[in-house]
Amino acid sequence: MKKSTLVLYTRDRCMLCEKAKKIIVELQNKYDFLLEEIDIDSSDELTEKYGIMIPVVEIDGKEVQYGQIDEWTLSEAFSEKKNNY
């Protein structure tokens, strides 16, 4: 089974982003996925797309959650993916 990739769209000086990253790093021990962090300020397109929505979490290209990131929602998304294989 191929490892999932979680993408965290973030930006500097974002308290919600820092909180989300802590949750994601803890979940990485449980679900063993690749983490890619993308600063939306590095791209006008991403800044326009996500603007005030950040942090945004995508798992294997599917947007799972944005704004207030919580462990329960992300765990559910990983459990659902595992059950679909």
Side-chain angles (χ1 to χ4, degrees):
M1 188 165 94
K2 186 180 147 224
K3 254 190 198 185
S4 289
T5 300
L6 183 147
V7 179
L8 174 62
Y9 292 96
T10 183
R11 67 169 25 133
D12 284 340
R13 295 180 307 284
C14 167
M15 294 305 290
L16 287 176
C17 300
E18 290 171 25
K19 184 179 171 190
K21 186 164 183 187
K22 283 181 186 170
I23 291 168
I24 290 165
V25 168
E26 285 178 26
L27 284 175
Q28 208 167 15
N29 296 325
K30 186 175 180 180
Y31 294 104
D32 190 31
F33 55 86
L34 302 172
L35 171 59
E36 183 180 346
E37 197 171 342
I38 298 175
D39 184 341
I40 67 165
D41 291 331
S42 66
S43 158
D44 289 343
E45 184 181 325
L46 290 175
T47 301
E48 189 175 315
K49 182 176 181 179
Y50 294 119
I52 60 171
M53 291 173 56
I54 61 156
V56 177
V57 174
E58 267 183 12
I59 298 174
D60 293 334
K62 179 182 176 198
E63 195 174 292
V64 175
Q65 197 173 27
Y66 64 90
Q68 294 283 344
I69 306 301
D70 64 85
E71 184 177 344
W72 187 85
T73 303
L74 296 182
S75 291
E76 282 292 299
F78 278 113
S79 295
E80 190 178 294
K81 284 198 74 54
K82 196 161 58 172
N83 291 336
N84 287 336
Y85 284 108

